[in-house]
Amino acid sequence: MSTKKETQNKMQTKQILSVFHRVIELIARGIFLFVAYVKGPAKIQPPIKDLTLLHSASALALKIRSKQLTSEDVVFSYIERIKEIQPMLNCVVKDRFEEALKDARKCDELLKSQDAPSAEFLEREKPLFGVPFTTKDCIAVANMCQTAGLVARKNITVDRDAKAIELMRSAGAIPLALTNVSELAMWWESSNCLFGTTKNPYNTRCIVGGSSGGEGCIQAAAGSPLGIGSDIGGSIRMPAFFNGIFGHKPSKGVVSNDGQYPSAHSDDQDQLLAIGPMCRYAHDVTLTLKILADKKADLLKLDEKVDISRIKIYYMEDDGGQRLISPVDPEIKATMKKVLNYFEKAHNIKATKINVKKLRKGLALWLANMTCKDDKDFSYELTNRQGHINIGLEFIKWVLFMSNHTLVALFTAMFEKCGMKYGSEEHVKLMQESKDLSQEFKDILGEDGVFLYPTHPTAAPMHHEPLVKPFNFSYTAIINVLGLPATACPLGLNKQGLPIGIQVVGGLYQDHLTLAIAEELERGFGGWVPPAIVA
């Protein structure tokens, strides 16, 4: 009887906490709205005047190799667009404009030379020949900074490309700029003490997500034809969702994590981390992933034609009621239903609603997989791996405006210190549950199924609002635990004019299925919503 009563008491306590958290959320939302009202109207991104910016990366590559456009003109168009949006959105932290123009001229000169390669050769061997791209300030680009938003790394310059950047260059692409991130890529708002806060192009009062938030922003604002992000808990998919673009987290172990900082400390962490593409157009995601996967591309069957009507679709509208996490917005649920209706009418697919109970433990499972031995926690990372910060002292310094760290970084360090320990009974139990959940999804999805799931419970919140809803990233984080491929797909704007969408999850190495669904959703729902166009 006492055990039953204890269980009831625990459930009541959890319910009270959830209600209290929801009240705090609503109060905080009201405060943020009032402050925004006092500050004046939100800004939106400037209109597009140069129609070159509306081409997909693959279309640009075709036009460059067929000499309809020059690489120099394309690069120049994007440089001008970045200069136009940067003062308002603050998405770029470092550029290589002059070097990129030089690289572009070399491409154009090669095409004009007697030894010019054929268009067929370029399409096969250098499919992004002459096309610029951007990447987040966590992924190494030779002779550029790699700060990861940490003040202690402000003077660090790397001398070699990350493997992903090396592969992009080999495919003919030209690095253009580095984009803003959250401090050490461990928060879902892109803001740090080095470069400040990046703002949402659809409403500057709102966040762009993190940690690849600057990359999501620059793509949505047409400041880059394609980008490279990294994702350990949703850092590609949340920014893609908040900014209305496509973002893909590949199957675990397919794309090299070499050159990403912070690097993983354990095999468990490395399995969570994935580098992948962020693009306005779904087709560009597939093209870029093929480049990034390199020798493992065949494993993903990206050239295989997919018959949509043969795909089995499973879905959940929410996580089943995880505590201290916002409820899924009704507009997102309504959009999910529209997607299900679309596939039933267009492809005669009757989706199956499932109830995976372990998704209610998504946050706990992710935290267990992130737990490190050897005391290499977040307080260690905040010193640039030179020791551990004094968390109490840093809080005092923050209050006195003397700290080099964001408030959320300090809370993260404190949370980890008080959290579960590697090898503890709780840790071992949760790691086993992670394996059980992986097997459950393997049984559900097989090699012909996809799982539709919210990318996030709400559209982009206002700046600093994530502080009162810190665990909402669990919708993406749990997919990292599973190591499965997931594509964030935009599905238009909500009533407030902010992007919403869903993520499409596939079985291990079934990336081609999630990407095929992404392309189908782009055809059915329009994909990326561009800013106004001035002819």
Side-chain angles (χ1 to χ4, degrees), residues 478-497:
I478 189 59
I479 309 304
N480 293 77
V481 172
L482 301 174
L484 301 179
T487 309
C489 303
L491 295 169
L493 307 180
N494 67 6
K495 292 176 183 177
Q496 286 73 46

Side-chain angles (χ1 to χ4, degrees), residues 4 20 163 196 200 280 284 300 305 329 362 465 473 515:
K4 185 177 180 181
F20 178 72
K163 182 63 177 179
N200 193 295
R280 283 176 279 156
D284 288 339
L300 305 183
K305 186 172 177 57
D329 190 276
E465 198 177 347
F473 73 97
L515 295 174

Side-chain angles (χ1 to χ4, degrees), residues 56 141 348 531:
S56 67
V141 178
N348 199 29

